[in-house]
């Protein structure tokens, strides 16, 4: 539960993978949001010291680099606000030094990019932002909140709901399921878990064991993100370590299908490295996230179950694939629908001679 005592530490493979996902996602999120809004916010709840022992950039520098190095940045006219929250005094000093060096290396500094290092707990910073917005009767600008704690303390579900209740706000959170699994029925940190979930239902985990218990705690957190934070689209990605066990889940919550699409692209592009893998489950099977030799069998089974006995438009099948499976749109047509048609499993009514263009209808057995 406690954070490491050192100011800087070694970059773990799974943390690098997480940062690579962040970079990929922001590379798409910045231009999309900046095209329609006068101001957007990146909020890093547990910012760290700025760099790791071997000099690799932390999440604050990754976010700034992704924006300033973006080919579209010269045409982005909106204001970008970066809030980097860090509670440890030594890490704050290190982070401020790293950002100062980054700014020095990127002169002239763009006037529409504002950076603020906040020396406080994430809870305090988020509460202050909420109170200021309410007192001014204003809505928060579109916000991407990256919440990557060392444990399970300090990220109450109710706080996330208040902070991200505004349209176009998104959450990318590290859910330390191993810690939750260990303490769920111990009784010694119930007050922390009550806040983490926004309910006491996690105590029901005492009646289940093994993978079923893991899945129960996963599903509960996902449901709470959906119901309490009002995110209609919640995705989770398991991080499997070298031993084959799930170390934690990355949860992404958004209200916009475009956000789902961007996160899918980011997840499938990243090579976890170091023996770590991403996974999800669909139709009772595990889906491993790797672009090489993608196994689309779970998607095939899911489509046959979801649309059994129905005649549906291709757009409906695309939406299901995007919003209710771990797969991307590009995994649908050639890898799944084409073999199903060739094998005579589905009947296709299309506009044209081949493919699955807009206006196509598919009948499932």
């Amino acid at each position: 539960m406690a954070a490491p005592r050192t100011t800087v530490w070694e970059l773990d493979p799974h943390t690098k993978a997480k940062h690579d996902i962040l970079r990929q996602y922001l590379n798409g999120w910045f231009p999309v949001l900046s095209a329609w809004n006068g101001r957007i916010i990146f909020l890093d709840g547990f910012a760290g010291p700025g760099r790791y022992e071997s000099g690799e950039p932390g999440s604050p520098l990754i976010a700034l680099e992704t924006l300033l190095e973006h080919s579209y940045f010269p045409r982005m006219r909106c204001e970008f606000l970066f809030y980097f929250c860090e509670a440890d005094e030594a890490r704050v000093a290190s982070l401020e030094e790293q950002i100062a060096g980054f700014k020095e290396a990127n002169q002239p500094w763009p006037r529409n990019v504002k950076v603020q290092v906040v020396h406080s707990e994430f809870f305090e910073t988020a509460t202050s932002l909420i109170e200021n917005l309410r007192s001014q009767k204003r809505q928060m600008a579109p916000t991407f909140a990256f919440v990557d704690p060392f444990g399970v303390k300090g990220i109450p579900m109710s706080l996330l709901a208040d902070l991200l209740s505004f349209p176009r706000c998104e959450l990318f959170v590290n859910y330390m399921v191993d810690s939750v699994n260990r303490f769920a029925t111990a009784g010694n940190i119930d007050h922390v878990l009550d806040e983490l979930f926004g309910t006491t239902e996690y105590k029901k985990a005492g009646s289940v064991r093994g993978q079923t218990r893991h899945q129960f705690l996963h599903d509960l957190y996902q449901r709470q993100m959906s119901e309490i934070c009002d995110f209609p689209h919640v995705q989770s990605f398991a991080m499997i370590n070298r031993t084959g066990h799930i170390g934690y889940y990355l949860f992404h919550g958004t209200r916009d299908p475009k956000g789902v699409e961007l996160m899918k692209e980011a997840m499938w592009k990243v090579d976890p490295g170091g023996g770590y893998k991403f996974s999800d489950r669909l139709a009772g099977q595990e889906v491993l996230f790797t672009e090489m030799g993608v196994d689309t069998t779970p998607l095939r089974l899911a489509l046959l179950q979801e649309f059994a006995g129905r005649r549906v438009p291709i757009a409906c099948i695309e939406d299901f694939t995007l919003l209710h499976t771990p797969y991307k749109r590009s995994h649908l047509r050639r890898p799944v629908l084409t073999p199903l048609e060739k094998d005579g499993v589905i009947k296709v009514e299309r506009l044209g001679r081949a493919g699955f263009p807009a206006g196509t209808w598919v009948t499932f057995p």
Side-chain angles (χ1 to χ4, degrees):
M1 292 260 322
R5 294 178 180 273
T6 54
T7 302
V8 296
W9 54 93
E10 183 181 353
L11 177 65
D12 293 327
H14 65 281
T15 301
K16 181 184 182 304
K18 186 166 44 185
H19 287 171
D20 287 345
I21 296 168
L22 178 66
R23 187 189 299 273
Q24 290 283 353
Y25 186 80
L26 292 179
N27 196 53
W29 188 79
F30 282 137
V32 169
L33 270 292
S34 64
W36 302 101
N37 299 276
R39 171 184 294 173
I40 61 178
I41 297 172
F42 176 84
L43 173 62
D44 193 330
F46 299 81
R51 290 193 184 276
Y52 291 86
E53 278 186 347
S54 299
E56 303 92 342
S59 51
L61 294 184
I62 287 172
L64 291 171
E65 286 175 353
T66 303
L67 176 62
L68 268 61
E69 295 175 3
H70 201 290
S71 60
Y72 193 67
F73 178 65
R75 288 170 284 176
M76 297 183 193
R77 302 303 179 189
C78 82
E79 183 179 47
F80 297 89
L81 302 182
F82 291 85
Y83 291 97
F84 301 133
C85 309
E86 176 53 53
D88 184 85
E89 185 174 357
R91 293 178 199 152
V92 168
S94 175
L95 178 58
E96 289 178 334
E97 181 181 354
Q98 293 297 333
I99 289 177
F102 183 82
K103 284 186 172 182
E104 182 68 25
N106 287 275
Q107 292 295 324
W109 186 255
R111 297 177 62 183
N112 63 327
V113 179
K114 310 292 177 59
V115 180
Q116 184 174 347
V117 176
V118 186
H119 183 194
S120 74
E121 299 283 355
F122 170 66
F123 180 89
E124 297 172 2
T125 302
T127 301
S128 178
L129 282 172
I130 295 167
E131 291 175 350
N132 287 338
L133 289 169
R134 286 176 176 168
S135 66
Q136 299 173 25
K137 296 182 179 180
R138 294 174 56 192
Q139 284 201 347
M140 181 175 284
T143 300
F144 184 85
F146 179 55
V147 182
D148 187 19
F150 287 106
V152 296
K153 186 178 179 181
I155 50 172
M157 187 66 69
S158 59
L159 176 71
L160 297 178
D162 284 346
L163 179 66
L164 303 171
S165 62
F166 306 100
R168 293 188 177 274
C169 289
E170 299 187 13
L171 173 65
F172 191 39
V173 60
N174 180 359
Y175 171 55
M176 306 293 286
V177 70
D178 261 358
S179 297
V180 175
N181 188 44
R182 187 162 56 252
F183 292 105
T185 54
N188 52 354
I189 62 165
D190 283 2
H191 63 291
V192 174
L193 297 180
D194 289 351
E195 292 181 343
L196 177 72
F197 286 101
T199 179
T200 60
E201 286 189 51
Y202 64 88
K203 295 180 180 180
K204 295 179 181 178
S207 62
V208 290
R209 294 288 183 270
Q211 182 58 38
T212 303
R213 176 180 167 113
H214 231 255
Q215 192 65 41
F216 169 80
L217 293 170
H218 164 277
D219 293 349
L220 177 60
Y221 194 78
Q222 185 171 38
R223 191 192 77 198
Q224 293 300 93
M225 272 188 65
S226 179
E227 294 182 358
I228 296 182
C229 294
D230 192 28
F231 284 124
H233 309 300
V234 179
Q235 302 176 87
S236 68
F237 308 94
M239 293 291 285
I240 303 175
N241 58 29
R242 296 179 181 88
T243 65
H245 295 94
I246 297 173
Y248 59 87
Y249 290 97
L250 299 175
F251 274 92
H252 176 238
T254 180
R255 298 178 179 87
D256 191 340
K258 184 63 177 179
V260 179
E261 189 169 14
L262 289 173
M263 183 56 74
K264 291 276 187 74
E265 291 293 336
M267 291 296 300
W268 282 96
K269 281 181 180 178
V270 171
D271 175 13
Y276 286 81
K277 297 178 180 179
F278 305 119
S279 80
D280 207 333
R281 298 195 66 81
L282 180 66
Q285 297 188 51
E286 186 175 67
V287 179
L288 291 181
F289 282 62
T290 170
E291 285 289 5
M292 299 302 295
V294 176
D295 179 12
T296 55
T297 302
L299 178 58
R300 175 186 172 118
L301 292 174
L303 294 178
L304 292 173
Q305 292 173 10
E306 176 69 16
F307 300 112
R310 296 167 57 190
R311 177 178 175 267
V312 292
I314 188 65
C316 183
I317 303 172
E318 284 183 325
D319 287 346
F320 175 78
T321 300
L322 177 66
L323 302 178
H324 300 287
T325 83
Y327 291 94
K328 304 188 299 181
R329 294 183 195 272
S330 60
H331 294 141
L332 174 63
R333 284 171 165 78
R334 185 174 294 179
V336 176
L337 293 183
T338 296
L340 283 174
E341 183 185 16
K342 185 177 179 181
D343 295 341
V345 178
I346 60 174
K347 294 181 180 180
V348 181
E349 304 163 57
R350 58 172 57 88
L351 301 176
R353 296 183 178 181
F356 300 85
T360 297
W361 287 77
V362 180
T363 301
F364 287 83

